[in-house]
Amino acid sequence: YSHTYAVYPTPSALFSINPGNTLIYPATTIQVVNNTANASSFNNHWNFGDGNTSSVISPPNHTYATWGTYTITLVVSSTYCKDSVTQVEVIIPPKPVASFTGCTVGCMPLKDSLHSTSQYATSYFWSFGDPLGGSASIANPTYIYSQPGTYNIKLIVTGPGGKDSITNNACAVVYPNPTALFTIQPTSLVVTVGIDPLTCNNISTITQIPAPESISSYIWNFGDGSPDITTKNTSHIYQQPGQFAVTLIVASNHGCKDTFVYNPLVTANEQFNLQVPNAFTPNPNGTSGDGIYDPASHDNDIFHPNISGLQTYELDIFDRWGELIFVSKDIRVGWDGYYKGKLCEQSVYVWKIIGTTIDGKNINKAGDLTLLR
């Protein structure tokens, strides 16, 4: 009695890895070499441990996307027999490399926007180097320096491969702002138009941190439309009445500025001036009756003084018998030569002006006036 048995060859799976079982990122490419005897006689199936497979006897180079530990398996099989073998490939994460951009120079408050350009980092710690102990733990922080000085900024980064740090010296240079300030003479802040000078004494200051600082420019504005003055101290004579704000803008040698507006306002009063004509020719055809005159007109049909610098005002007209025939308490209203709706006769009349100047002096003046018709 005899029996025939079929005996099939059993594969013995074997492979090697080039350049080896350990790499340090960013090196992530390996080559697997199938060392199985008679590998071409079998089916070969590779699993690289990252979701990728191959059925090539010895696949071309394989590149892993990132660091990690990967189990590589080779299965060698025939219709009846198979064998498998595994190896572990370790790609070591790299040590992070700390770096950043965003160093800046400017006037306080200085806004510094920083940007991490670090490699292989997953967490961040910033130290902004100021006395307040400012810090942040995001990749791209913004920090505002409120005090002048020179600040070193440090970044510490952490990643799977460890830690790294970098310090940029003098990364933030914050220049101080000057403080604009001045005094005014006269202290009453009241001047007379065209006569009294307004004197401004500059007492602006600036701190000397982080380096010798100085105030390098001055701009004075007196609020009346006159050209700006650029001297350290100055004086000004107003040419028109009103109330005006005096402003000083100062700038440092690094371009940092401050503005001071003097409060209260400066008052410029007109100088008291009185010119009274001695004759006028009223309109014989009647008037509007309001007595309002145009100061720019050359007509002589309304009697009115040319007057300035009065705070209170009254104009009285008397006839030759001393009867009061006209009163105006409005400097814009004069006498049109009429009384009770009728044109007065040609004669000599008496005018009287009483009032108070802006500086408090009493005015009481009188004179003759001839009405011509």
Side-chain angles (χ1 to χ4, degrees), residues 274-279 303 305 314-319 326 335 348-354 363-370:
L274 177 64
Q275 294 178 336
V276 184
N278 56 16
F303 170 76
E314 182 177 321
L315 169 65
D316 298 333
I317 304 294
F318 301 88
D319 64 16
F326 176 79
W335 182 40
V348 176
Y349 297 82
V350 175
W351 59 264
K352 183 179 180 181
I353 295 175
I354 57 177
I363 300 298
N364 192 330
K365 294 183 179 293
D368 292 339
L369 164 68
T370 300

Side-chain angles (χ1 to χ4, degrees), residues 258-298:
D258 188 39
T259 300
F260 178 68
V261 180
Y262 203 93
N263 188 27
L265 303 178
V266 173
T267 300
N269 293 326
E270 286 187 298
Q271 180 187 13
F272 172 68
N273 180 55
L274 177 64
Q275 294 178 336
V276 184
N278 56 16
F280 81 118
T281 55
N283 186 347
N285 299 318
T287 66
S288 64
D290 57 15
I292 296 176
Y293 61 89
D294 181 2
S297 174
H298 296 291

Side-chain angles (χ1 to χ4, degrees), residues 18 24 35 75 127 164 240 257 302 370:
N18 292 324
I24 299 177
N35 301 124
V75 178
S127 175
D164 191 30
Q240 61 191 50
K257 296 181 179 181
I302 296 179
T370 300

Side-chain angles (χ1 to χ4, degrees), residues 90-330:
V90 178
I91 300 177
I92 299 172
K95 181 181 178 181
V97 179
S99 64
F100 65 90
T101 60
C103 292
T104 189
V105 175
C107 306
M108 61 179 254
L110 179 66
K111 181 179 179 180
D112 197 354
S113 296
L114 299 159
H115 179 73
S116 172
T117 54
S118 306
Q119 294 179 293
Y120 318 125
T122 55
S123 64
Y124 310 84
F125 180 80
W126 299 84
S127 175
F128 298 112
D130 65 334
L132 299 177
S135 63
S137 56
I138 58 176
N140 304 311
T142 296
Y143 192 70
I144 296 177
Y145 289 93
S146 58
Q147 296 296 324
T150 299
Y151 302 101
N152 303 331
I153 298 179
K154 182 177 183 179
L155 171 62
I156 302 173
V157 295
T158 303
K163 289 185 176 182
D164 191 30
S165 65
I166 184 173
T167 300
N168 283 345
N169 294 327
C171 187
V173 179
V174 186
Y175 295 118
N177 294 321
T179 300
L181 191 63
F182 60 91
T183 61
I184 286 180
Q185 293 290 336
T187 56
S188 64
L189 305 181
V190 178
V191 294
T192 301
V193 170
I195 297 178
D196 298 332
L198 184 75
T199 301
C200 299
N201 179 36
N202 189 345
I203 54 174
S204 302
T205 58
I206 189 170
T207 182
Q208 295 301 304
I209 299 173
E213 299 288 321
S214 63
I215 298 176
S216 59
S217 70
Y218 309 84
I219 299 177
W220 298 89
N221 184 282
F222 290 92
D224 59 350
S226 60
D228 292 339
I229 304 298
T230 58
T231 57
K232 182 177 180 179
N233 300 293
T234 188
S235 63
H236 182 69
I237 296 177
Y238 285 98
Q239 301 301 321
Q240 61 191 50
Q243 289 190 306
F244 306 98
V246 182
T247 302
L248 171 62
I249 302 173
V250 297
S252 72
N253 52 312
H254 288 107
C256 304
K257 296 181 179 181
D258 188 39
T259 300
F260 178 68
V261 180
Y262 203 93
N263 188 27
L265 303 178
V266 173
T267 300
N269 293 326
E270 286 187 298
Q271 180 187 13
F272 172 68
N273 180 55
L274 177 64
Q275 294 178 336
V276 184
N278 56 16
F280 81 118
T281 55
N283 186 347
N285 299 318
T287 66
S288 64
D290 57 15
I292 296 176
Y293 61 89
D294 181 2
S297 174
H298 296 291
D299 294 337
N300 193 29
D301 55 2
I302 296 179
F303 170 76
H304 63 87
N306 293 319
I307 193 166
S308 63
L310 281 187
Q311 185 173 346
T312 64
Y313 166 80
E314 182 177 321
L315 169 65
D316 298 333
I317 304 294
F318 301 88
D319 64 16
R320 59 185 173 177
W321 296 283
E323 181 182 2
L324 179 64
I325 61 174
F326 176 79
V327 176
S328 173
K329 295 185 178 183
D330 187 339

